Amino acid sequence: MPTTITVKGIPEDLYRRLKAAAEANHRSINSEVISRIEQTLKARRVPAGELLQRLRRLHRSFGGKTLKLRQLDEARREGRP
């Protein structure tokens, strides 16, 4: 049996956008919410070859520059107490 949840405190602007999306997709608001939750939580398995291609394109978009481990560590700590 399906489970029911209640979501409180939805900002009006968010509700209006959700309602508009539901109408555009010919769904009820409830069906739109379920569809969006399913899409968000769906496992996205990407084949290793495709992932590698994406990474190579991204690397080329930065002109082939690389970061040093020290730079990565500094970036991770930035903004942390």
Side-chain angles (χ1 to χ4, degrees):
M1 182 170 125
T3 301
T4 300
I5 63 171
T6 302
V7 180
K8 298 179 182 181
I10 298 174
E12 286 185 36
D13 180 60
L14 179 60
Y15 180 79
R16 280 193 297 271
R17 290 185 287 144
L18 182 61
K19 185 176 179 179
E23 289 172 1
N25 291 317
H26 306 286
R27 296 182 179 133
S28 67
I29 292 175
N30 187 73
S31 293
E32 186 70 21
V33 168
I34 290 171
S35 176
R36 287 173 178 256
I37 291 171
E38 286 175 338
Q39 287 300 313
T40 300
L41 299 178
K42 184 192 294 184
R44 293 188 180 114
R45 296 190 72 97
V46 179
E50 183 180 331
L51 184 58
L52 186 57
Q53 285 178 341
R54 289 182 192 178
L55 290 170
R56 286 182 175 146
R57 278 196 308 269
L58 180 62
H59 187 253
R60 283 193 303 271
S61 75
F62 288 107
K65 296 178 184 175
T66 58
L67 294 173
K68 305 286 185 219
L69 184 57
R70 176 186 52 76
Q71 292 170 301
L72 291 171
D73 286 338
E74 288 173 5
R76 282 189 205 116
R77 285 192 298 269
E78 187 173 301
R80 294 184 181 176

